[in-house]
Amino acid sequence: MAISRPALITLTALAPVSWGTTYAVTTEFLPADRPLFTGLMRALPAGLLLLALARVLPRGAWWWKSVVLGALNIGAFFPLLFLAAYRLPGGMAAVVGSVGPLFVVGLAALLLGQRPTPRTLLTGIAAAFGVSLVVLQAAGALDLPGVLAALASTASMSTGTVLTKRWGRPEGVGPLALTGWQLTAGGLLIAPLAFLVEGAPPALDGRAVGGYLYLAVANTAIAYWLWFRGIGRLTATQVTFLGPLSPLTAAVVGWAALGQALTPVQLAGMVLAFGATVAGQIGPRRKVAAPRTLAVDRAVRPSASRRGGRPEAYVSVGRGPRR
């Protein structure tokens, strides 16, 4: 089904908006000090649900590719993110995470052949600065392991985003199955670590069950499906510039639901970060089409070269759009 570019961007943006509610749900509904178990409950049930809906398993090289993507986007990202959040003061983890667009710009240049422009670099810096104004409030000595964990989590998710764009997906496989493969692989990687570090699962009351259901279904299964669907149809840079919406949503939820005040400086930072997010979506006008598989791309490419050009609607899997 055809979808306009603004509608596609809006749907993809719902993923980081949903992730911005994670902190409030975790603090208000879930057992304390169980970050790895929470990561497990987010990833594995969601992955199994999507696998049941898609009813498609990886084949051939996609077994190891699914494990790699699942480790980068889920299995390594979740534990590192939680470790950073526990060791760093205030919103420092979110500030470090907000440099994700700059990570993706560099990786896209190396792996996808997308040359960064000065406007893209300045937009990424503006987004990180805006997020820092919103979330960086608490003072305190920086913890080196926490900073390294935050950087590693950002690098992990950024690499996973770019590789997801580079590899595309197998012929006949939709984003639902691809998301299910990654969530299941990531959840299985987190499971032994969670039980080794945190022990047996905690007792859950009704509030906790409701919180975990929300995280697994809306916050993870649906949100990651929208995210990976967006990666297949937008550039990696466009998708990652939606990331700052997560800490901005967390600030708004904290103000609206938890009674946390917003200062004028924070409001200015929100405007700056949101403006950078919008600016990150502005690029050459091109037709939005369903992502092409490698087999289709090979079929299209010869005819395009005979005409002296290539159709802009198609993205070359493994090399990325040329600019």
Side-chain angles (χ1 to χ4, degrees):
M1 182 178 65
I3 183 173
S4 67
R5 184 169 174 269
L8 177 60
I9 292 173
T10 301
L11 288 173
T12 308
L14 293 178
V17 168
S18 172
W19 298 333
T21 65
T22 303
Y23 175 79
V25 172
T26 300
T27 57
E28 299 299 314
F29 292 91
L30 304 183
D33 300 326
R34 303 304 294 263
L36 292 175
F37 179 75
T38 296
L40 173 63
M41 293 299 292
R42 283 186 65 186
L44 191 55
L48 294 176
L49 172 63
L50 295 185
L51 284 182
L53 293 174
R55 295 193 293 181
V56 177
L57 292 176
R59 295 189 300 272
W62 273 97
W63 280 105
W64 69 262
K65 288 183 178 180
S66 299
V67 173
V68 171
L69 294 178
L72 292 171
N73 290 319
I74 309 296
F77 174 68
F78 280 1
L80 289 169
L81 182 67
F82 284 127
L83 176 61
Y86 271 80
R87 298 188 68 102
L88 292 179
M92 178 58 72
V95 173
V96 177
S98 67
V99 303
L102 297 177
F103 274 63
V104 169
V105 167
L107 290 169
L110 292 173
L111 300 178
L112 303 179
Q114 298 177 357
R115 294 182 179 179
T117 64
R119 182 178 65 83
T120 300
L121 295 175
L122 289 175
T123 302
I125 294 171
F129 183 66
V131 170
S132 69
L133 294 179
V134 175
V135 302
L136 190 55
Q137 302 174 49
L142 296 183
D143 178 79
L144 182 58
V147 172
L148 294 177
L151 286 172
S153 69
T154 302
S156 179
M157 185 67 168
S158 299
T159 305
T161 297
V162 174
L163 284 180
T164 300
K165 183 67 180 179
R166 177 181 174 88
W167 288 339
R169 59 178 188 259
E171 183 177 1
V173 173
L176 193 72
L178 183 64
T179 306
W181 298 348
Q182 295 187 51
L183 287 172
T184 302
L188 291 175
L189 291 173
I190 295 174
L193 182 63
F195 289 112
L196 179 65
V197 175
E198 298 178 350
L204 304 179
D205 57 16
R207 288 173 60 85
V209 171
Y212 282 127
L213 282 175
Y214 168 78
L215 290 182
V217 178
N219 187 269
T220 303
I222 297 176
Y224 272 93
W225 170 68
L226 291 172
W227 185 253
F228 292 129
R229 181 172 178 265
I231 292 175
R233 301 188 178 196
L234 300 169
T235 68
T237 303
Q238 283 178 312
V239 173
T240 196
F241 265 111
L242 298 173
L245 292 176
S246 180
L248 296 185
T249 301
V252 172
V253 171
W255 167 75
L258 304 180
Q260 299 172 356
L262 289 175
T263 67
V265 172
Q266 287 178 297
L267 293 174
M270 293 177 70
V271 172
L272 178 60
F274 184 76
T277 297
V278 174
Q281 308 309 310
I282 299 175
R285 294 180 62 85
R286 64 178 62 191
K287 180 180 177 183
V288 175
R292 312 304 294 176
T293 63
L294 185 58
V296 174
D297 190 4
R298 285 174 175 167
V300 172
R301 195 180 302 159
S303 62
S305 62
R306 285 195 296 271
R307 291 196 302 268
R310 69 176 182 88
E312 288 190 352
Y314 296 95
V315 176
S316 177
V317 176
R319 296 173 62 184
R322 298 177 183 171
R323 292 189 176 182

